[in-house]
Amino acid sequence: MKLSAKYIAVFLMPLLFSTVLIASEKKGVAMETATVPVSPQSQACISCHSIYTPGIVSDWLSSRHAKITPYDAMKRPALQRRMSSNNLPDELLKQAVSCYECHSQNPEKHKDNFEHFGFRINIVVSPNDCRTCHSVEVSQFSDSKKAHAHKNLMGNPVYRALVNSITGVSRIENGRIITEKPSDKTLNETCLACHGTRVEVRGSKKVSTPIGEITVPHLTNWPNQGVGRENPDGSLGSCTACHTRHAFSIEEARKPYTCAKCHYEPDVPAWNVYKKSKHGNIFFSEQHEWDFDAVPWTVGKDFRAPTCATCHNSLIVSPDGEVIAERTHNFGSRLWVRLFGLIYSHPQPKSGNTTIIRNKDGLPLPTTFTGELASEYLIDEKEQMRRKQVMKNVCISCHSTSWVDGHFEKLENTIKETDKMTLAATKLMMEAWEKGIEDKTNPFDEPIERMWTRQWLFYSNSIRYASAMTGKGYTTFKLGWWELSNNLQKMQDMIELKQDRLKNRDKKVDK
Amino acid sequence: MKLSAKYIAVFLMPLLFSTVLIASEKKGVAMETATVPVSPQSQACISCHSIYTPGIVSDWLSSRHAKITPYDAMKRPALQRRMSSNNLPDELLKQAVSCYECHSQNPEKHKDNFEHFGFRINIVVSPNDCRTCHSVEVSQFSDSKKAHAHKNLMGNPVYRALVNSITGVSRIENGRIITEKPSDKTLNETCLACHGTRVEVRGSKKVSTPIGEITVPHLTNWPNQGVGRENPDGSLGSCTACHTRHAFSIEEARKPYTCAKCHYEPDVPAWNVYKKSKHGNIFFSEQHEWDFDAVPWTVGKDFRAPTCATCHNSLIVSPDGEVIAERTHNFGSRLWVRLFGLIYSHPQPKSGNTTIIRNKDGLPLPTTFTGELASEYLIDEKEQMRRKQVMKNVCISCHSTSWVDGHFEKLENTIKETDKMTLAATKLMMEAWEKGIEDKTNPFDEPIERMWTRQWLFYSNSIRYASAMTGKGYTTFKLGWWELSNNLQKMQDMIELKQDRLKNRDKKVDK
Amino acid sequence: MKLSAKYIAVFLMPLLFSTVLIASEKKGVAMETATVPVSPQSQACISCHSIYTPGIVSDWLSSRHAKITPYDAMKRPALQRRMSSNNLPDELLKQAVSCYECHSQNPEKHKDNFEHFGFRINIVVSPNDCRTCHSVEVSQFSDSKKAHAHKNLMGNPVYRALVNSITGVSRIENGRIITEKPSDKTLNETCLACHGTRVEVRGSKKVSTPIGEITVPHLTNWPNQGVGRENPDGSLGSCTACHTRHAFSIEEARKPYTCAKCHYEPDVPAWNVYKKSKHGNIFFSEQHEWDFDAVPWTVGKDFRAPTCATCHNSLIVSPDGEVIAERTHNFGSRLWVRLFGLIYSHPQPKSGNTTIIRNKDGLPLPTTFTGELASEYLIDEKEQMRRKQVMKNVCISCHSTSWVDGHFEKLENTIKETDKMTLAATKLMMEAWEKGIEDKTNPFDEPIERMWTRQWLFYSNSIRYASAMTGKGYTTFKLGWWELSNNLQKMQDMIELKQDRLKNRDKKVDK
């Protein structure tokens, strides 16, 4: 963050100077100076944007993209490589990866391509554009549930009923609650803030900027950085969900604050549980001494306790340089069981696209309401064992086999017991349905149904997370067993109270 | 934190030595040594207090007040100035701003002025005392809602009813809940911990200290550091609410931990939302590389993502040195709409003193219970547009105009929809009042009324905060739309259950 | 973390070389190199474990145990000593405290002692083993409530009823909730994750490790690091609960993240309250400039605001080197009143073992259900005053006597008022019992009883914590007075609704 924007603007623009000096001072590491050529197109971008949006220019200057050419990056030893593609167009090879390099990719696919001060650029840089240099990562990601996060939610009629029940605006008419369909804007700020919106081009519009009125494509559901965003080039996902523009820092992606944006209580309390775990305890106490930028990432040398990335997707090696876990951007690929989000836990789905699943009742759910698996769509036991071993390999870097086995036995038990507690709640709700106390048409829009939803979406989920990540005590009072057992009691009380009301009403009708 | 207190005590006291050597080692910055004269009075203070309260002496030694004289501070270039006054009494000019300089200001106004080992000092240093050097900041602050935070709460009969309903001690008599008026001590620890107490002098008292019994003024509602404290000199506010004694660090004030002391869930979840935002994600991951002490504060150079202070009050410049936003200590002055704290959102009030507002029903509220604005007391659309532009200027340092416009359109929609959800709850509560289920005399002391209060004070507020600050997903399950819609369902259920009870009771009475 | 594991394995194993070079680079401090002999047994451990569990070898390398011999550690000036024992077996004196030194202590007491590749070692290192070098700390700890945390919970029939009501799996039979006894595994993950399990040896078992099948003792309820764990050598406690294996860092133990693992909302919200306090605000803003490793720990020099350890157990000195507070590992020994965990606050129990307490009703509780003290088992007023003064001495390092007195007067008031609010809830519950609405046999297994439990275990507790630690505003809305008063209203509503149901049912029976 040392080069002033003015310097760049004044110096580069008139002379079309082709190098950028970047001085970066990082965490005690010695001063590092890099000279990387910048394309004339990107120099033009920088010359204006260093004045009008200086923050993102500074961001980019601090990024690896500004410090090394793809040509040099490709020459690194295999384990140290941060880009996976081997065949790049010549024009991208020997210069910085800068504004124009990314925003001009695949123009023919981009419905958001437009002319901007003499250049044709895309507004949205999609995973398919990042693929040019990061092909393996994008392939892995594109198969994941994350890439399908929008589709999996909005294209599933059961989840869609949940979404609509929660986020629609209500009004009172004759003492009754009438709920409308949710607005696109509210969906963008609630579920789809994380799951991603569908971004489409709807003609163009004029915007007033500091340099006058300019015409840009009009994008729907924008801005949005949800991980399963549907992009104007037809691709799925948003790399900036975790690798924030325009620094694309691996340090940031490896720190748990990034995952915490979406994965927190009450429905996905990974962050909350991590904070209460021994691993989190060590991370928060000692992170200032660790190296979050090293590739590969070495157990014991670069870090002392895992963050989310360690267990779920980073390339991890031992101090000897032996690979403990391969890098993956399919975030489910080290997971054998799905702990959260659905009514009951179940083996991971085979496909990142979960809308294709059908349970015995014909619903697009991995289990029935009483917990029977839709096995055809889920990974088998052999694949489960394989994945579990990948995860265990990470644990075994620091823990004895006996310790690790004991840990996972506890998790297995927790999965079974929490599923039983969900089943108990389901039976109470079914009783309410049978007695006509609430209406089963939409299972999410009445108070007892909401209590049932809490049972699995908040409480059983949380307990399983805490068990998987040893989030001490989170399983007890904070969204844990206290709530799980209390919720059953409260459901029963409400059923009895509402049943009496129903009977009293019936009596009146009888008269 | 290098000079030992003993050194100061032993060295300064006997010789009345007039300089203090301060060695400060900060974040990789080279060792900095400063020589600033200290007044004989302050030397006397230090000589004892370095023994008896060494912590605060160390605090002061680490502060800017110990490192530069007002005379030198005033000579700084305009944008780098940290003190705004231009005319200072001569005796303050050429020495450190130390104990006696602050604690002896305006003695004639201070009812807490007393003799302490040969010096007349005030216990409380008030904004009016800080005004001597920081006149512009104190003027701005004094006009703000923050300075009036005590008065605005305790001097408003509607809010006062809420305060009393929450914080009064209850007992059970014949199965009924009887609630007393809250005690001053509990008020000091609850609402007034943040809003500030009224600190008055009630004679003097003796206290046992390590050096024997001494006599000091007896202060009511003390200690307290609430931002709208009423001080013994008649002034309003407490600068130490954000600039902690006795280091008065700008670094601290710019970090979100400071604002987080008061602005957190469930009623003001700015902190919680920030943590879940992309901005917070970047701050927590990279703050160790930023400069929180630089004045002015440069986008891209000193920081990469905003903290609370960036958007709400700091002096922000571009890497070129152009002013993006002027410093302000009137924390509402960049705000066009008031998102929280009241039943419905509304344009910011014109005056920091909101007790003067009257709605159509004659109540001191910016809207009626059904949402009609008390427009006369609120800023008009033109002023709203002007303020919104100030805020947008900060956003545009890093985001395109189109992105920023899209963001604020979402916020506008959220404001409208959450206000509708509050109106729905209000209608249910009014139904409960009409049917005699609960009593409207105090709108905060019965269960359905409390559910209504949750609707706006916890849920609508939270959703609006999350929308304003892009706190991903906080709007969904965590105090968001899940609760907003579920709360309506629960209100309706309770109304029906309590109504039946009422009817059954009436029937019995009929018999 | 500089020495590669391979280096150690390859270099040490063949040559049985007796020294380890450790290069540690910490927080700007100059490079420090230490040469400490390592025993042949530990060299053997390291030679394999640096390959198979490299993380823990790196941990140990970063620890003080790898950098100084007990012989040298004992020669430090009294205030700087980190080990308290003065008589050590000769063989431990002049070498690093490494794998074998700790895992081979007191083999005759360890039922988990077994042969492992030619060495007899214990799996669990217990406080009694740490006692060899840290005798004073272990003696203090062993008398504390922390050491008895398992026993105090599981050996008390009242608490045991609470534990069983919360953590047992339920099923629905004929619309009724049937709750089983909790499983050992779930207990290990809930209450006993913090309180500690009973770890016993149940024969041996074979485990599959990367180097083939090996036989190890089969431990019950393992892994577990709860602070009151019952160990296979009969001792109580787990030092690693706070001093994580195998770095045993004092920095970590002094940071609040460590305490936060167990002490957080809703039942013990020390962490949550600290975050919202001025002390926490300063810690989070400035901790990067503090020294968490210095012994003794100097106010003003090493830190500017207290963490948990400062007030509760660290050795604190003034910049002059005068002792402000002695180190203690009996964490209750600076406490005069017990704010949390029980129905009413009360003077601290005399003994760490609280199962011996009997109240007037013969129950093992420090008060009756209506608040009468079991004084015989609790410290007297004189001891309370003595302890309070120890705590005040810490406060007075930075605050005036008058300020500190005012603070503690507020706390006294809060204790009284919250106990009254608990009493009000107790009376409502007793009314429910008397009217037959709920059944008093188990006071924790029905909805109104759970509301009563919330009143003291969640709300009164939280308010008292926030008062003790000035956790601004936590006392108001967040688990504070809002909930405390609302809970009473809701209890009354439920009593009335369920009473009507009972009457209607009775009427039907009458007919």
Side-chain angles (χ1 to χ4, degrees), chain A residues 276 278 281 285-286 300 304 320 397 414 417 467 472 474-475 478 485-486 489 492-493 496 500, chain C residues 1 6 53 55-56 59 175-176 183 186 189 208 241 252 255 258 264-265 271 445 450 454 498 501:
Chain A
K276 301 311 173 201
K278 193 48 119 173
N281 173 194
S285 301
E286 304 181 13
R304 202 192 137 201
D320 291 348
S397 305
T414 297
E417 293 193 358
S467 175
K472 282 193 164 201
Y474 204 88
T475 49
K478 181 76 191 180
S485 54
N486 196 187
Q489 298 165 351
Q492 194 182 44
D493 254 16
E496 291 182 358
D500 285 352
Chain C
M1 301 195 192
K6 190 158 210 165
T53 55
I56 56 174
D59 263 12
R176 297 282 89 194
S183 67
T186 284
E189 296 217 316
S208 269
E252 196 183 307
K255 288 192 175 169
T258 299
Y264 64 95
E265 64 171 24
W271 163 247
D445 65 346
R450 285 286 184 100
R454 281 177 197 270
K498 291 178 83 167
R501 181 157 61 89

Side-chain angles (χ1 to χ4, degrees), chain A residues 252-287:
Chain A
E252 196 182 307
R254 281 172 170 177
K255 288 192 175 169
Y257 311 108
T258 298
C259 311
K261 284 198 314 292
C262 293
H263 293 224
Y264 65 95
E265 65 172 22
D267 52 321
V268 203
W271 163 247
N272 309 78
V273 161
Y274 182 71
K275 285 200 293 181
K276 301 311 173 201
S277 73
K278 193 48 119 173
H279 293 155
N281 173 194
I282 299 173
F283 165 78
F284 288 107
S285 301
E286 304 181 13
Q287 55 164 312

Side-chain angles (χ1 to χ4, degrees), chain B residues 59-274:
Chain B
D59 263 12
W60 173 77
L61 278 169
S62 76
S63 80
R64 200 159 199 85
H65 283 166
K67 293 178 189 160
I68 186 167
T69 63
Y71 181 82
D72 287 333
M74 284 160 72
K75 289 190 300 191
R76 293 274 176 117
L79 284 180
Q80 293 177 27
R81 282 188 64 167
R82 293 166 193 247
M83 59 171 287
S84 51
S85 301
N86 290 311
N87 297 305
L88 250 63
D90 279 352
E91 70 271 20
L92 291 178
L93 275 177
K94 300 208 174 174
Q95 60 190 6
V97 179
S98 189
C99 322
Y100 187 74
E101 285 64 42
C102 297
H103 282 276
S104 71
Q105 289 288 309
N106 308 304
E108 72 291 353
K109 290 189 181 151
H110 272 275
K111 295 192 176 144
D112 56 324
N113 187 274
F114 73 115
E115 210 209 87
H116 183 63
F117 294 100
F119 300 98
R120 289 211 69 88
I121 58 162
N122 314 316
I123 298 182
V124 180
V125 178
S126 80
N128 191 52
D129 301 328
C130 302
R131 187 194 294 271
T132 306
C133 294
H134 303 284
S135 52
V136 171
E137 289 70 30
V138 173
S139 287
Q140 291 168 339
F141 174 77
S142 299
D143 286 343
S144 72
K145 293 195 296 298
K146 283 219 173 353
H148 293 79
H150 173 91
K151 185 195 294 267
N152 285 347
L153 185 69
M154 301 301 276
N156 183 318
V158 180
Y159 303 162
R160 190 62 183 265
L162 176 60
V163 168
N164 288 355
S165 301
I166 296 174
T167 56
V169 171
S170 298
R171 64 182 187 280
I172 307 300
E173 278 185 13
N174 305 318
R176 297 281 88 195
I177 302 168
I178 312 293
T179 304
E180 292 164 26
K181 258 190 67 183
S183 67
D184 282 348
K185 284 193 170 63
T186 284
L187 285 175
N188 189 354
E189 295 215 317
T190 53
C191 310
L192 305 187
C194 289
H195 281 257
T197 54
R198 177 175 292 158
V199 179
E200 292 175 313
V201 179
R202 291 275 161 78
S204 63
K205 63 171 180 178
K206 298 192 172 181
V207 290
S208 269
T209 76
I211 48 165
E213 208 168 60
I214 64 172
T215 301
V216 298
H218 180 70
L219 302 182
T220 62
N221 305 309
W222 185 256
N224 177 276
Q225 292 180 299
V227 79
R229 193 180 62 201
E230 299 195 11
N231 300 306
D233 66 350
S235 70
L236 301 181
S238 162
C239 301
T240 57
C242 306
H243 300 277
T244 318
R245 307 158 310 133
H246 288 91
F248 311 106
S249 151
I250 196 169
E251 171 165 4
E252 196 182 308
R254 280 172 171 175
K255 288 191 174 169
Y257 310 108
T258 299
C259 311
K261 284 198 314 292
C262 292
H263 293 223
Y264 66 96
E265 64 171 24
D267 53 322
V268 203
W271 163 248
N272 309 77
V273 161
Y274 181 72

Side-chain angles (χ1 to χ4, degrees), chain C residues 235-250:
Chain C
S235 70
L236 301 182
S238 163
C239 300
T240 57
C242 307
H243 300 277
T244 318
R245 306 157 312 132
H246 289 92
F248 311 105
S249 150
I250 196 170

Side-chain angles (χ1 to χ4, degrees), chain A residues 184-226:
Chain A
D184 283 348
K185 285 194 170 61
T186 285
L187 285 175
N188 190 352
E189 296 216 317
T190 52
C191 310
L192 306 186
C194 289
H195 282 257
T197 54
R198 176 175 292 159
V199 179
E200 292 174 314
V201 178
R202 291 274 160 79
S204 64
K205 63 171 180 178
K206 298 192 171 183
V207 290
S208 269
T209 76
I211 48 165
E213 208 167 61
I214 63 172
T215 301
V216 297
H218 180 70
L219 301 182
T220 62
N221 304 310
W222 185 255
N224 178 277
Q225 292 179 299

Side-chain angles (χ1 to χ4, degrees), chain B residues 338 349 353-359 362-367 374 377-378:
Chain B
R338 199 151 161 232
N353 177 358
T354 61
T355 60
I356 59 173
I357 295 174
R358 291 293 173 276
N359 70 13
L363 291 171
L365 296 172
T367 72
Y377 300 92
L378 310 174

Side-chain angles (χ1 to χ4, degrees), chain A residues 439-471:
Chain A
D439 171 19
K440 70 187 284 187
T441 317
N442 176 340
F444 305 113
D445 65 345
E446 288 169 285
I448 293 170
E449 293 168 340
R450 286 285 185 100
M451 293 166 98
W452 168 73
T453 312
R454 281 177 197 269
Q455 188 81 348
W456 49 271
L457 189 58
F458 296 174
Y459 311 139
S460 288
N461 268 1
S462 296
I463 293 166
R464 290 194 286 255
Y465 261 103
S467 175
M469 297 161 63
T470 64

